[in-house]
Amino acid sequence: MNQRVPRILDSRYELHDVIGSGGMATVYAAEDTRLGRQVAIKVLRPEHAKDPTFRARFQREAEAVASLNHPCIVAVYDTGAFVPLDEDAREDGDPQATAPMPALRPELEGDPTVALDAGDGAEQVPYIVMERLHGTTLKELLAEQGELSLDDAVSYAEDILDALAYSHEHGVIHRDIKPANVMVLERDEEDESLGRPSRIKVMDFGIARALTETATPLTETHTIMGTARYIAPEQARGAVVDARTDLYSVGVVLYQMLAGRPPFDGTTSVEVAGQHLTERPEPPSTHRPEVSQALDEVVLTALQKTRADRFQSAEDFRWALDNAARGLVVRAPGASADAAGAHAGGAGAAAAGLAAAAAYGGRAPDPAAGGYGPDSTSMETVDDPYTTATGEQPQLEEAGVSGFFPQAQDEYTEDELYENERNEAVAARRRRRTAWKNAILGLVILLLAATAAGAWLYYSHELNKPVYVDVPAVRNVSQDQAEESLRNEGLKVTVTKDYDDSIPSGSAIKTDPREGTQVEKDSTVTLVVSEGPANLTIPTDFAGQSEAYVRSQLEKMGLVAGSTKTVHHPSIPAGMVVDTDPAQGQQVANGSTVNLVLSDGKVAVPQLVGLTRDQAVAALTDKDVLLSTQIETEHSSQPAGTVIRQSAAAETAVAQGSTITITVSQGPAGTTRTASPTPSASASAAQEQEDAQQDSSDDSEDQTPAGDAPQTASATPSPSASRRG
């Protein structure tokens, strides 16, 4: 009974159409409903899913490949497994069932692969979730075009080598590099703007190791037959492979892209494998003259039979290819005597393999099992055509899925590794060799661990020894410089403040521990920084300065500028400082608050009425008043020379330098005035003016009635009086 794949996997992936199928797996277009992205899901074919060893390795290795994150490697997002549904589920209308699982039917009599029957329905079938790509495989591109342009061939090869350099660095060897496993993406706007060919992605990491462990011999249908054209000589011999094996396969692919045909071809995979072991390829320029000698040298170096004669890393290969594309010749290293012997040995191995294949009905010996596959009535053929430069269409390889993890065996039990072995003696020998290797490896690890432990104990003791340094001298240097000096010695610093009469504010006074003391490196030293003297004297030159200036000077000294109040002052302009509180010249504690006394630009008018003229003028020109005087006279009942009226009332605040008008009595009308002494020059001048007016008044007494308009005179503060302010 056929099995079906559920339409929804892991309650997340919704499967759609089949977009690819091969001997190893079937690929479905799908949607990740959780993230809303298009993906491709590769489902293992049922005949492989039936094998527990294959399932376990498929799962483990797929998870390992998921760690590879490179722009030239197809990304693996997730892995899982499912139980296939019966065919009846679809017939009963079960919406969870989708297309039937492809089952590989026996093609030849005695073929060990069988379709999954109903009794195996409970087996878990593993799958891999990958990124969905849009493009065409390099295999399809070569089938369509034959040879590629030199630029495209070099670009694709360089991208493949970039991917392999990354995977080799992470311990992953592909083991099945071939055109079918290289996807050429659609050319996007970025490629066009940069003038570069399409980008490529290397596919199918992670399955070849499992296939190698469980598959039948080299010529087995749907196993490694399709890759024979691209395998390295060591793969054909069944030897252990390494990163240089992948580089050989890249050389074959590059050869085919340049020449339009692979370096070796034959009707069976055994024949092709023998050519890889024994024959030297012709240079690509033999089939395509425009291929340069430099490119010939690079390709032939990659196709050396002995690994030591090839490029030793993907980076070396890429560097040589890049130089060759610019016309720089990279010579292939000459084969040593050992290499020549290896080539001869390879020829013998190939001949023996071909003879054995003939004796066993076309089957090649299986080096992993120590025996041969079942008899077959005919040799397996290579079944897919490729297009050569001349238009011929020989056969191409069959597409498959592949990959390799060198350390995969370490994860499996002996039962898992050997349950499918056909030759128990070979298995026993392998187990003994493995045991000896493990014992030697364990001894080496033990010695290394003991050496590492001893080194750790020694260096931990040495490194834990305290290191002592001297505390540097930092007295009377700035705080920043002192901290830098201490930290340069490997010391930590904490800062405290203190007063000092001799060290300016902001400079270092001392350290604790004191300078010259030896202390452990990375210990803490206290740095004492001066805040200036403990007591400060308020300057005496603040009068007449601006408020902002006085505040800044106080703060520089270490004092706090406090609140302000205003007072009258005869000469200091409004807003300017008159005094401080405490007063200027007094001593205060460092950090004390000093309030400011500001001028309001006004003075208080003194009481003038009742004073004599000279007394009134003296009061107005006093150093604490400094007001101008204007004198008017008139007859009154008050004694002559007495101030009987003033223009601004006593204690009224007027602006600095204002003029105050005083009215001086001339006595009753008709009386004769006598001059009174003048206390000041200004007063004398006023008196002389008044006398002159009086004389004039007396001369015209007959014409001017008493009580006519009063006479006026003025007096201003003398310069000496102004300076006193």
Side-chain angles (χ1 to χ4, degrees):
M1 180 182 298
N2 287 333
Q3 304 292 311
R4 291 183 177 271
V5 181
R7 183 174 298 279
I8 305 295
L9 297 180
D10 194 23
S11 301
R12 175 176 181 177
Y13 303 108
E14 181 177 354
L15 273 63
H16 300 306
D17 298 333
V18 175
I19 57 176
S21 181
M24 288 296 303
T26 301
V27 182
Y28 293 88
E31 179 182 359
D32 183 346
T33 58
R34 184 176 303 169
L35 299 179
R37 65 181 175 187
Q38 299 298 313
V39 297
I41 296 184
K42 181 175 293 184
V43 178
L44 196 62
R45 293 182 66 89
E47 63 271 19
H48 300 305
K50 183 178 178 181
D51 189 300
T53 302
F54 200 101
R55 288 200 309 273
R57 295 181 181 181
F58 178 90
Q59 182 69 20
R60 293 173 190 171
E61 292 158 7
E63 291 172 356
V65 173
S67 65
L68 297 181
N69 182 17
H70 190 274
C72 294
I73 296 177
V74 175
V76 174
Y77 298 142
D78 195 6
T79 63
F82 65 89
V83 176
L85 301 175
D86 293 337
E87 178 72 27
D88 295 339
R90 185 66 175 177
E91 295 174 357
D92 293 340
D94 187 346
Q96 293 298 315
T98 180
M101 291 181 60
L104 189 62
R105 302 296 183 183
E107 299 287 344
L108 303 173
E109 182 179 355
D111 194 321
T113 54
V114 296
L116 187 66
D117 59 21
D120 297 318
E123 297 288 352
Q124 292 279 322
V125 178
Y127 63 87
I128 301 176
V129 182
M130 306 176 298
E131 67 173 313
R132 179 80 179 275
L133 300 178
H134 298 282
T136 182
T137 64
L138 183 57
K139 169 188 171 182
E140 295 168 340
L141 193 64
L142 289 170
E144 177 184 348
Q145 299 182 12
E147 63 191 32
L148 303 183
S149 70
L150 298 182
D151 289 342
D152 286 357
V154 170
S155 176
Y156 295 162
E158 288 180 342
D159 284 353
I160 296 172
L161 290 169
D162 284 343
L164 291 177
Y166 180 82
S167 69
H168 293 169
E169 181 181 353
H170 289 75
V172 179
I173 302 175
H174 193 289
R175 298 215 322 172
D176 196 17
I177 293 295
K178 58 184 179 182
N181 285 340
V182 177
M183 175 68 76
V184 181
L185 305 181
E186 296 176 354
R187 198 160 185 252
D188 57 21
E189 294 181 358
E190 181 182 0
D191 295 331
E192 293 177 357
S193 64
L194 296 176
R196 68 185 181 194
S198 302
R199 305 305 301 269
I200 65 96
K201 293 257 187 181
V202 178
M203 303 184 296
D204 295 332
F205 281 85
I207 302 180
R209 181 61 176 176
L211 175 63
T212 304
E213 294 295 335
T214 59
T216 50
L218 178 66
T219 54
E220 185 67 23
T221 305
H222 298 294
T223 56
I224 312 179
M225 185 192 73
T227 66
R229 184 171 288 113
Y230 303 95
I231 62 174
E234 58 269 20
Q235 281 179 292
R237 291 194 299 268
V240 176
V241 300
D242 59 19
R244 294 169 294 182
T245 303
D246 282 347
L247 304 186
Y248 184 95
S249 300
V250 176
V252 178
V253 173
L254 177 58
Y255 190 109
Q256 186 171 347
M257 289 191 292
L258 293 173
R261 51 163 293 160
F264 305 115
D265 196 18
T267 57
T268 67
S269 56
V270 172
E271 181 181 351
V272 174
Q275 293 173 353
H276 279 290
L277 286 167
T278 62
E279 296 185 12
R280 291 185 179 275
E282 296 176 334
S285 58
T286 303
H287 309 285
R288 186 179 181 182
E290 61 263 36
V291 176
S292 66
Q293 180 187 355
L295 284 175
D296 278 346
E297 293 286 354
V298 170
V299 173
L300 295 179
T301 299
L303 295 179
Q304 288 293 318
K305 307 299 182 187
T306 304
R307 280 179 277 193
D309 296 335
R310 300 176 202 153
F311 298 109
Q312 298 302 295
S313 68
E315 292 90 344
D316 292 345
F317 194 167
R318 194 189 190 288
W319 175 82
L321 183 58
D322 185 60
N323 284 331
R326 292 189 297 233
L328 302 177
V329 177
V330 179
R331 298 290 181 186
S336 63
D338 292 341
H343 292 162
L354 294 174
Y360 280 85
R363 297 286 182 175
D366 182 1
Y372 297 87
D375 292 342
S376 175
T377 57
S378 65
M379 299 285 285
E380 300 292 349
T381 60
V382 182
D383 55 1
D384 281 341
Y386 68 88
T387 303
T388 65
T390 59
E392 299 175 354
Q393 288 193 333
Q395 299 296 314
L396 269 180
E397 88 288 2
E398 176 180 311
V401 288
S402 61
F404 173 55
F405 294 86
Q407 291 80 24
Q409 290 192 60
D410 299 339
E411 301 181 10
Y412 310 131
T413 64
E414 287 190 352
D415 291 339
E416 190 180 6
L417 286 171
Y418 299 110
E419 64 180 353
N420 293 322
E421 290 283 5
R422 301 175 187 174
N423 190 322
E424 293 298 331
V426 173
R429 288 197 299 272
R430 289 185 177 180
R431 281 192 289 269
R432 286 195 297 272
R433 287 197 300 268
T434 301
W436 275 107
K437 290 179 181 178
N438 291 340
I440 295 172
L441 180 60
L443 181 60
V444 171
I445 293 175
L446 182 61
L447 292 174
L448 290 176
T451 303
W456 180 82
L457 291 174
Y458 173 77
Y459 284 108
S460 62
H461 174 71
E462 290 296 319
L463 293 175
N464 288 332
K465 281 185 177 180
V467 178
Y468 291 92
V469 295
D470 293 333
V471 178
V474 295
R475 180 176 173 81
N476 209 20
V477 301
S478 69
Q479 178 179 342
D480 291 341
Q481 291 177 333
E483 289 187 36
E484 183 178 2
S485 297
L486 292 169
R487 291 195 177 98
N488 286 342
E489 295 296 330
L491 299 172
K492 298 177 182 177
V493 183
T494 59
V495 178
T496 61
K497 303 284 187 178
D498 198 1
Y499 297 111
D500 191 284
D501 294 336
S502 61
I503 303 297
S505 178
S507 296
I509 301 173
K510 61 180 179 179
T511 57
D512 183 19
R514 64 186 181 183
E515 62 186 57
T517 304
Q518 281 200 335
V519 296
E520 286 189 21
K521 194 173 184 178
D522 206 37
S523 60
T524 300
V525 173
T526 300
L527 176 65
V528 182
V529 178
S530 173
E531 289 189 312
N535 294 309
L536 301 172
T537 301
I538 300 176
T540 58
D541 59 350
F542 284 166
Q545 302 292 345
S546 68
E547 179 185 357
Y549 170 78
V550 174
R551 285 183 178 275
S552 67
Q553 292 301 309
L554 290 174
E555 290 174 359
K556 286 181 181 180
M557 293 174 61
L559 298 173
V560 178
S563 60
T564 61
K565 68 176 182 179
T566 58
V567 296
H568 298 325
H569 197 277
S571 60
I572 295 179
M576 296 299 181
V577 174
V578 175
D579 202 353
T580 59
D581 182 19
Q584 301 176 76
Q586 290 189 9
Q587 278 199 341
V588 294
N590 198 324
S592 298
T593 299
V594 177
N595 299 321
L596 304 183
V597 180
L598 306 180
S599 170
D600 62 358
K602 297 180 179 181
V603 292
V605 177
Q607 175 65 42
L608 303 175
V609 175
L611 301 178
T612 65
R613 182 183 64 178
D614 293 339
Q615 291 173 337
V617 171
L620 289 174
T621 57
D622 186 77
K623 64 181 181 65
D624 293 328
V625 179
L626 297 181
L627 293 174
S628 297
T629 306
Q630 181 174 347
I631 301 173
E632 296 179 352
T633 60
E634 68 177 40
H635 295 287
S636 73
S637 60
Q638 296 295 323
T642 301
V643 176
I644 59 175
R645 191 167 53 250
Q646 61 187 72
S647 61
E651 301 304 324
T652 302
V654 297
Q656 295 169 346
S658 297
T659 298
I660 302 299
T661 302
I662 59 173
T663 304
V664 179
S665 173
Q666 290 180 326
T671 61
T672 302
R673 293 189 59 240
T674 60
S676 60
T678 58
S680 66
S682 59
S684 299
Q687 183 62 44
E688 291 173 359
Q689 183 179 2
E690 183 178 354
D691 293 339
Q693 291 175 347
Q694 182 64 39
D695 294 338
S696 175
S697 175
D698 292 342
D699 292 339
S700 59
E701 185 176 358
D702 294 337
Q703 287 81 22
T704 304
D708 282 350
Q711 303 300 310
T712 64
S714 64
T716 60
S718 66
S720 61
S722 297
R723 283 195 294 272
R724 286 198 301 272

